[in-house]
Amino acid sequence: MNSKELAKLASSARELAYAPYSKYKVGAALLTDDGKTYTGCNVENASYGMSMCAERVALYKAVSVGHQSIHSIALSLSGSGSPCGACRQVLHEFNPSMVVYLADETGRIHHETTLNMLLPHAFGPENLD
Ligand code: THU
């Protein structure tokens, strides 16, 4: 699975977003170190604060079936959007060096970065040792 294919998966996942309130659809696709992919979309709620981001849906799917080694994540969203602070923190837990691809609605990648770049000086598991 290459980055372009991962971003296409994110774009397809975006189609499934449930975002009737913000109308801002997000799709995510993550790649584990052993080559598995997991997708997610944002799922909003009439009680707005209960809404969940696409990244965390994808991550929790992976972790909940036993995959904790995450190589990269692709996001499909509009404009210059990038992972929110909460998602940066949650993703950091599983790989601070994770590669992050930002793609448009069609899955065209326009930006590549890492979680370390997005969340410098993060609080992580090692701080609890
Ligand atoms: N959203 C995500 O799914 N991921 C992000 O990193 C940014 C925001 C969602 C949450 C909400 O459903 C909508 O986008 C607008 O904030």
Side-chain angles (χ1 to χ4, degrees), residues 97-116:
S97 303
M98 189 182 305
V99 182
V100 180
Y101 303 105
L102 301 179
D104 66 13
E105 300 93 323
T106 70
R108 187 189 64 83
I109 296 171
H110 55 76
H111 199 73
E112 176 180 336
T113 185
T114 64
L115 211 52
N116 274 321

Side-chain angles (χ1 to χ4, degrees), residues 22 24 26 42 44 53-55 82-84:
S22 73
Y24 189 79
V26 183
N42 52 332
E44 297 185 346
C53 292
E55 298 91 316
S82 74
C84 78

